Amino acid sequence: MNHNRNKALNQFVKVVLLLWLSLIIGCKTAPEPPEVKHAETQEHNLWRAGASIYTPEEYTTYKTALRKGKEHLINENSRFAWFRNYDSIAIEFRSIIKQGELVQQKIQQQKELKTKSISFQISYLKNRLETLKKLSVLINEGHMARKDITRAELILKEAEGIFNKERFTDAEEKLKYLSPYMNSAIEAIFPILNRYVDGNQIKKWRSWVNETVSQSKEQQSYAIVVSKIDRLLILYKSGKPYKSYSAGVGINGTKDKLHQGDRATPEGKYRITKKLSRSRYHKALLINYPNEDDRAQFAVSKKKGLVPRGIGIGGLIEIHGGGSSSMTYGCVALENREIDDLFSLADVGTPVTIVGALDYENNISLIM
């Protein structure tokens, strides 16, 4: 009887053990919420998108929340499998993911702002450099500015390449290197060019030309007008344009001549004093520089310290041959065949008026 009871008890225990083992084997550990993996991927994507650059404060807050979430996950994972509950973890990580989405939106907004800002800067600088280049070509003195303009163009090209790769911060840094070269170019040419947009200066030049043309009309004679910025010599006959020739001027010809050796072409009302059928540059028409106005200007400039000590006013300014494309030491140069033509028409005493520009709307003012 006892034997049968023991046997039955043993079988019961075996059944219970089997049931218990089946429950253990059949019960799987609850999986981590998918939000955890999502948040980890999101954090990596935010880092790659430059969150630390574009939204540093929001990104720091996001990373702090993510770190705390991971700590809570570790604590939950340390519990016995049967007792793990990821409901609160899932809720926390969903909140973190929403936070990350806001960071992503902010990054996109900042990138769009940067794109517009840098794109505008590049466009503006391109136009500015193009304008400076055009202005530098108009004046003989522009060769020094063109070196700086070329350097600035190379830097701008590099910045644009970096910008196209969406390296916005690097592009902004690169653009800063343009300023010294652009400022140097501006300092080299704008003091010269400003004369050509100065209403009072142009009014004076026009007055000289009008007086010269009127004299030609009254005396039914020839008169010569030279526009330095247009690099043009116009021969008037009886007050009307008769012929025109391309002309070269001084190496610093866009400036007004102040003294000997400055390589500038003088401005003022002159006359031909001598015809040279043979000269160093084919034929030449000598003019009466310096005149009284030139001497007065020289005296004022000397007092202001604009003339180096021991330097005189200079002279021997001519209209000569040698080629209109050449840069002179201050004279006006024509092609040989054209100085031949002018030489046959102009006489000693023919008025010669040299101005910077003929009108308010000149090659420089239209660009500036």
Side-chain angles (χ1 to χ4, degrees), residues 125-365:
L125 291 168
K126 274 185 178 179
N127 291 334
R128 189 66 168 162
L129 285 171
E130 188 61 31
T131 299
L132 286 172
K133 187 189 292 186
K134 288 178 181 177
L135 291 171
S136 71
V137 169
L138 288 175
I139 59 175
N140 291 346
E141 301 91 334
H143 64 283
M144 292 303 294
R146 285 194 288 275
K147 291 180 181 179
D148 290 317
I149 292 169
T150 299
R151 292 190 185 101
E153 285 179 322
L154 291 172
I155 294 171
L156 183 58
K157 189 174 182 180
E158 290 177 17
E160 190 172 15
I162 295 170
F163 168 70
N164 290 335
K165 295 177 182 177
E166 295 191 354
R167 291 164 49 197
F168 301 124
T169 303
D170 292 339
E172 285 180 320
E173 276 303 310
K174 179 63 71 172
L175 287 174
K176 292 178 183 178
Y177 288 98
L178 267 77
S179 295
Y181 296 110
M182 289 189 67
N183 291 339
S184 178
I186 290 169
E187 288 172 6
I189 62 177
F190 268 65
I192 302 168
L193 300 181
N194 283 338
R195 302 173 65 236
Y196 293 85
V197 294
D198 183 339
N200 291 329
Q201 180 65 66
I202 294 170
K203 184 178 179 180
K204 182 167 71 172
W205 288 335
R206 288 186 66 175
S207 173
W208 293 347
V209 172
N210 290 337
E211 290 169 5
T212 301
V213 172
S214 295
Q215 183 181 347
S216 169
K217 184 178 180 179
E218 290 171 5
Q219 298 179 1
Q220 294 293 293
S221 61
Y222 289 111
I224 295 169
V225 172
V226 176
S227 172
K228 297 199 296 184
I229 198 60
D230 297 307
R231 297 181 185 178
L232 184 68
L233 184 151
I234 304 170
L235 177 65
Y236 284 84
K237 182 180 181 181
S238 302
K240 294 182 179 180
Y242 181 59
K243 291 187 177 184
S244 62
Y245 312 97
S246 295
V249 294
I251 294 171
N252 295 320
T254 319
K255 298 177 182 178
D256 190 8
K257 188 170 186 64
L258 288 182
H259 57 78
Q260 180 183 15
D262 62 7
R263 299 183 177 184
T265 299
E267 297 166 9
K269 294 176 65 179
Y270 305 99
R271 67 180 186 279
I272 295 173
T273 57
K274 193 172 184 179
K275 296 177 69 173
L276 304 172
S277 56
R278 290 184 181 180
S279 82
R280 183 178 178 184
Y281 302 102
H282 192 55
K283 293 179 181 178
L285 301 169
L286 182 68
I287 66 172
N288 64 320
Y289 172 86
N291 60 21
E292 290 182 8
D293 290 337
D294 295 321
R295 290 190 178 89
Q297 180 178 303
F298 176 77
V300 171
S301 298
K302 199 164 187 178
K303 285 182 180 179
K304 291 182 177 179
L306 301 176
V307 178
R309 185 173 295 181
I311 298 296
I313 193 170
L316 297 176
I317 300 298
E318 302 172 337
I319 302 172
H320 59 61
S324 61
S325 61
S326 62
M327 290 187 288
T328 72
Y329 291 101
C331 297
V332 177
L334 306 181
E335 297 295 334
N336 288 346
R337 65 181 181 278
E338 294 182 337
I339 190 64
D340 284 339
D341 188 38
L342 183 63
F343 195 90
S344 67
L345 298 170
D347 293 320
V348 171
T350 297
V352 176
T353 295
I354 305 174
V355 296
L358 296 171
D359 210 338
Y360 296 101
E361 292 186 355
N362 55 69
N363 289 342
I364 289 177
S365 65

